[in-house]
Structures are given as structure tokens and as C-alpha cells.
Amino acid sequence: SMMTRFALTVVRHGETRFNKEKILQGQGVDEPLSETGFKQAAAAGIFLKNVKFTHVFSSDLTRTKQTTCGILEKSKFCKDMAVKYDSRLRERKYGVAEGRALSELRAMAKAAGEECLMFTPPGGETLAQVKMRGKDFFEFLCQLILKEADEKGQFSQGAPSNSLETSLAKTFPLGKTCAPACNSDSSAPGLAASVLVVSHGAYMRNLFDYLVTDLKCSLPASLSRSELVSVSPNTGISLFIVNFEEGREVQPTVQCVCMNLQEHLNGVTETR
């Protein structure tokens, strides 16, 4: 049976002044990037410069828009790509806690007798609601890629899709996932698409939880349990390969190549 595969690269926005000061922004506080944040976005862009993206999605908040712009500016292939801004990629809504210190959220949770992570402040979204938004966006993306692959009849022209894979393999430790680029096994087609998504810490944590818990995503051996549940650093980069078998109404199989990668930040120093 035919397979459709695509790559999903997910990046958290760069640092804002409020990230540094540990103040919750959620959806209601729309801070721009700090000077450090712009440097991080540029560093992520340089790291990803050889990757050929076919689709770019960003949350519609200022910090993600600016990060996306900073990444694409450095790209060899995607400088002029149209970005789709999607409100489904917005940060978790923190209700009354937005604009307040993280320590205040912790105090509110404690007063309610709950763990901070599981606590929903008044007017905020529950973790389940954020995860539903993640699932919603992911399913929309899968449908879009499958529909486009269908229309293209991608199987008749293997070459362009292979170049997507080759461009990824230059940057990421693809290893066994990159069958077409590394051997001539024709049963695994090249990538039908390579998607960049720029989003937010709490949102990404819930999206990744959906991929790992619900879709039983396979994980790199080097990934520890604590890394799996931690929030991505600013401009942390994660890569997933999503694989569909044609004509079967089944969940896709998902493979995580890396999660919350931050080696591109080694040269980026905090600006005081």
C-alpha cells in the first residue's frame, strides 16, 4: 500500500522580556521579542537555513510572528514563503493569571490544593482544552498534506520529495527515518511535505503529549523522561516524521527525531 510521509518541525518563539521575568503572557499579553529573542530567532534561522519547507504556520501572536520572520529571513529556500497565521497555535489561555508572575499562579494553585501544572486559573484553558487545540491543528495539517499529495499524484515524481528529505538530513540526525535519501528502498516514498510550525511553550508541551500519549509516537533513545515533560527553551526545535498508509482509516505513525533541541543557542548570549 502507498505511504504518504511528511516532516513536521516545531519551534518555540524567542525570548520576550516577560519570559525572562517569569510573567505569564498566555494569549492576552502580546509582548514582542526582546533583543535576546531576536538573536535566538536568527540563530534558529541559521540552524534551519538549508531545510526546504513547503508550508509555514505560525501562531498569530507578536512573539511567534517575529520569530517566524527571523527564521525565514535566514533561509536559503524559503525567504519569500507565505506564512499562514493560525489562532489554533496560540499559547494556552491563562485567564486571570495573564500578566502576573508565575509565582502567583503557583500560589493560586496551592490555595486551590492543586499541582501548579494541572491547575486552571479562572478564565483559563484546561490542559485538555489546549491538547484538543493541538489535536485539531494536527488533524487539519494531516488532511491538508494528504489532499495535496493526492492532487499532485506525488508518487509519479519521486525526485522533488527526496530533496526535502536530503535537505532535512543535512541538519538533523535522521538516521533510519530517511530511507529514500539513504538507500534505494522504493517502498518508502520521499517526503510529501516539510512543515514549519512556530508556537508556544505550554501549547507545544500539550501538542507533544498528544503525539506521544495518544499517537504513541516513537522517541529517540537519548530522550529522558524529564526532557519529555519539560517546556521547550525559547526557539527550542523539535522534529517529527509523520507517516500515513494510503486508504487505511488509521492514525498515522509518528516518529520523533529530536525534541526541544537547543544547540543553535550555544553562541547566543543574554543581553543585559
Side-chain angles (χ1 to χ4, degrees):
S1 73
M2 287 294 193
M3 273 196 300
T4 302
R5 300 164 67 243
F6 73 92
L8 173 61
T9 304
V10 187
V11 184
R12 186 182 171 206
H13 63 80
E15 185 194 84
T16 67
R17 182 174 58 107
F18 281 5
N19 284 150
K20 199 173 159 56
E21 294 167 8
K22 299 207 172 0
I23 291 170
L24 291 162
Q25 297 165 105
Q27 298 184 5
V29 178
D30 200 15
E31 272 286 289
L33 296 182
S34 64
E35 198 182 327
T36 299
F38 281 111
K39 285 183 180 166
Q40 291 170 337
I46 291 164
F47 180 79
L48 294 168
K49 73 175 190 292
N50 291 310
V51 180
K52 293 178 182 163
F53 293 111
T54 54
H55 304 71
V56 181
F57 292 92
S58 164
S59 144
D60 58 352
L61 298 170
T62 302
R63 54 196 185 273
T64 38
K65 283 181 170 174
Q66 290 176 331
T67 302
T68 305
C69 186
I71 291 172
L72 293 181
E73 228 165 49
K74 301 287 181 197
S75 172
K76 267 194 189 154
F77 305 104
C78 314
K79 268 195 182 55
D80 305 314
M81 266 195 81
V83 180
K84 295 200 169 74
Y85 298 108
D86 196 315
S87 60
R88 283 174 293 195
L89 294 171
R90 281 183 187 180
E91 182 56 302
R92 180 185 181 190
K93 196 174 178 183
Y94 283 100
V96 300
E98 289 185 353
R100 289 158 79 168
L102 182 59
S103 55
E104 286 190 54
L105 181 69
R106 289 206 181 102
M108 288 165 81
K110 200 173 172 184
E114 286 186 55
E115 262 182 271
C116 187
L117 193 68
M118 308 317 262
F119 175 67
T120 305
E125 281 180 294
T126 65
L127 293 184
Q129 284 172 323
V130 183
K131 191 168 160 179
M132 268 313 290
R133 274 201 291 129
K135 175 182 196 276
D136 207 51
F137 177 79
F138 182 74
E139 287 180 344
F140 148 79
L141 192 58
C142 290
Q143 289 312 310
L144 177 75
I145 305 296
L146 284 173
K147 183 169 155 284
E148 288 179 357
D150 229 29
E151 284 164 6
K152 268 199 204 97
Q154 60 167 115
F155 309 109
S156 55
Q157 32 136 339
S161 52
N162 271 356
S163 72
L164 295 180
E165 195 122 11
T166 313
S167 83
L168 265 184
K170 281 185 184 140
T171 301
F172 292 101
L174 280 194
K176 286 193 293 296
T177 58
C178 89
C182 306
N183 61 51
S184 55
D185 172 11
S186 59
S187 69
L191 295 169
S194 187
V195 182
L196 173 64
V197 166
V198 182
S199 187
H200 304 263
Y203 178 89
M204 284 163 57
R205 198 172 172 279
N206 286 280
L207 171 66
F208 297 172
D209 180 51
Y210 169 70
L211 298 179
V212 172
T213 309
D214 301 52
L215 295 186
K216 308 282 183 273
C217 171
S218 66
L219 297 166
S222 58
L223 195 73
S224 70
R225 192 73 212 151
S226 67
E227 282 178 298
L228 185 60
V229 295
S230 61
V231 168
S232 170
N234 288 112
T235 69
I237 299 171
S238 300
L239 173 63
F240 301 88
I241 304 289
V242 184
N243 197 324
F244 281 94
E245 291 205 24
E246 289 291 292
R248 303 224 341 252
E249 282 298 309
V250 291
Q251 305 269 37
T253 51
V254 183
Q255 189 167 11
C256 173
V257 176
C258 62
M259 195 179 279
N260 302 341
L261 195 80
Q262 52 181 322
E263 60 194 51
H264 58 286
L265 296 175
N266 292 345
V268 180
T269 46
E270 278 289 323
T271 44
R272 282 283 167 266

